Amino acid sequence: MSKKHAGIVQKQFTKTAEAFSTFATRDTPEMLAERVAFAKPQPDEIALDVACGPGALVFAMAPHVHFARGIDLTHAMLRQALAFQAQLRITNACFDQGECERLPYPDAAFDLIMCQFALHHMPRPEAAIEEMKRVSKAEGRLLIADTLGPESDEKWELHNRIEVMRDPSHAASLRLTTFLKLFEEHGLSVLRQTLKPRPRSFHRWMLRAGVEASNRRYQEARRLIEEAIPGDRAGFSAQYDGDDLTIVHYEGMFLLGQQLAPESHSG
Ligand SMILES: C[S@@+](CC[C@H](N)C(=O)[O-])C[C@H]1O[C@@H](n2cnc3c(N)ncnc32)[C@H](O)[C@@H]1O
């Protein structure tokens, strides 16, 4: 990741660390339990959450594994994580500051590597995936969850333009087809996969990114989404809901394993 983009990510998530923790409605206990069950953690495993933010997935995973670590670029997010850890009294977890294209861990160090709702902040998601694979044991698993961009080029462009307007650290929401291609190119096979629509309030979505209704970016994003309702041209499946809008993000969750090199047969 370039220094410039790393600076944009840190600025955004320093500004919004508190709002993010308050408004991150997707991390309800049920949703976290669903992700934990999906990964099938084992009591002797060591897990790593890459771009862990305030640590919700680390804390959900910790009771099911031997040890859980989180790493994130943004100090303010890690401070939130440490405060939550103290409240929850979780002792088999810790947090590191670092960049996911250069993870400060040796090869094959983890059984389970997770990364949720963060690849869309990375201009080179392929570099992050390669690095996660490097620190995964050969028989380890990767759990990737992220919002998916629309498949149509026109919808994808407008969708991501609105996302960047809301949050300048957004790089791109990858399409399902792009994710599957990336996994294949990196020798990762999909063990399990789910795709789910996640409806949410536009207003709360903006607040979580630190953008108030009085802000020009709020108004512009809302205008673009409203104008694109006929034909769902921004791919948000937006609908009016009183003074607010309901928008939908499609979320993909993938459990990946490393493809074993085919055995070579001679003679
Ligand atoms: C939308 S938040 C998601 C946080 C957490 N995974 C969750 O679901 O609650 C994105 C996080 O990714 C982190 N991040 C973005 N780019 C990163 C990078 N290259 N290396 C490490 N962390 C990064 C940000 O600091 C931020 O905490």
Side-chain angles (χ1 to χ4, degrees):
M1 181 185 268
S2 68
K3 265 194 179 161
K4 185 172 171 218
H5 195 76
I8 296 173
V9 167
Q10 283 174 314
K11 187 172 168 204
Q12 173 68 14
F13 286 102
T14 299
K15 188 178 85 178
T16 61
E18 214 169 301
F20 186 87
S21 306
T22 312
F23 289 102
T25 48
R26 64 161 180 269
D27 283 335
T28 61
E30 299 77 41
M31 288 176 194
L32 286 167
E34 184 193 344
R35 275 196 272 288
V36 170
F38 191 83
K40 296 197 167 130
Q42 302 300 316
D44 58 344
E45 289 188 329
I46 301 184
L48 172 70
D49 186 15
V50 172
C52 62
L57 188 56
V58 174
F59 302 134
M61 192 57 77
H64 304 276
V65 293
H66 177 65
F67 199 84
R69 265 190 125 97
I71 183 164
D72 200 282
L73 191 59
T74 308
H75 288 282
M77 282 293 200
L78 294 168
R79 276 196 292 277
Q80 289 276 348
L82 291 175
F84 287 138
Q85 182 175 11
Q87 279 169 23
L88 296 166
R89 297 175 192 222
I90 289 183
T91 52
N92 65 332
C94 73
F95 293 91
D96 303 307
Q97 195 273 337
E99 215 272 302
C100 61
E101 286 185 26
R102 290 185 307 277
L103 294 172
Y105 311 116
D107 294 356
F110 297 95
D111 301 282
L112 173 62
I113 301 185
M114 310 168 284
C115 182
Q116 63 162 4
F117 305 106
L119 282 171
H120 63 260
H121 293 285
M122 300 175 195
R124 299 194 329 129
E126 66 285 357
I129 286 178
E130 193 54 39
E131 188 61 348
M132 290 187 234
K133 186 178 162 187
R134 179 186 69 75
V135 300
S136 162
K137 293 182 183 169
E139 66 282 13
R141 295 158 343 275
L142 265 65
L143 171 71
I144 305 279
D146 210 348
T147 49
L148 304 174
E151 292 291 330
S152 122
D153 286 348
E154 295 79 30
K155 287 189 186 188
W156 189 84
E157 304 260 328
L158 182 54
H159 187 95
N160 280 297
R161 195 176 137 208
I162 293 166
E163 290 273 6
V164 173
M165 190 170 287
R166 167 187 178 260
D167 173 355
S169 72
H170 181 94
S173 297
L174 303 182
R175 300 163 162 126
L176 172 62
T177 48
T178 313
F179 267 116
L180 297 178
K181 190 160 169 269
L182 258 181
F183 299 151
E184 195 179 346
E185 283 169 1
H186 289 267
L188 295 165
S189 51
V190 179
L191 307 174
R192 304 177 74 191
Q193 161 180 330
T194 61
L195 303 176
K196 285 198 178 158
R198 199 75 84 191
R200 51 165 62 102
S201 142
F202 168 82
H203 181 66
R204 286 172 67 87
W205 180 59
M206 295 302 281
L207 291 184
R208 207 179 71 211
V211 188
E212 304 277 340
S214 55
N215 189 305
R216 192 192 52 77
R217 281 163 44 220
Y218 182 111
Q219 290 150 17
E220 182 63 1
R222 178 158 175 153
R223 184 184 68 77
L224 287 175
I225 291 181
E226 283 184 284
E227 280 179 8
I229 288 177
D232 188 25
R233 294 195 314 278
F236 282 107
S237 307
Q239 288 187 338
Y240 288 101
D241 179 12
D243 292 343
D244 198 358
L245 296 171
T246 296
I247 58 166
V248 179
H249 279 93
Y250 289 86
E251 294 180 1
M253 182 156 64
F254 309 93
L255 190 67
L256 309 166
Q258 299 204 29
Q259 284 166 7
L260 299 175
E263 280 179 35
S264 59
H265 296 282
S266 52

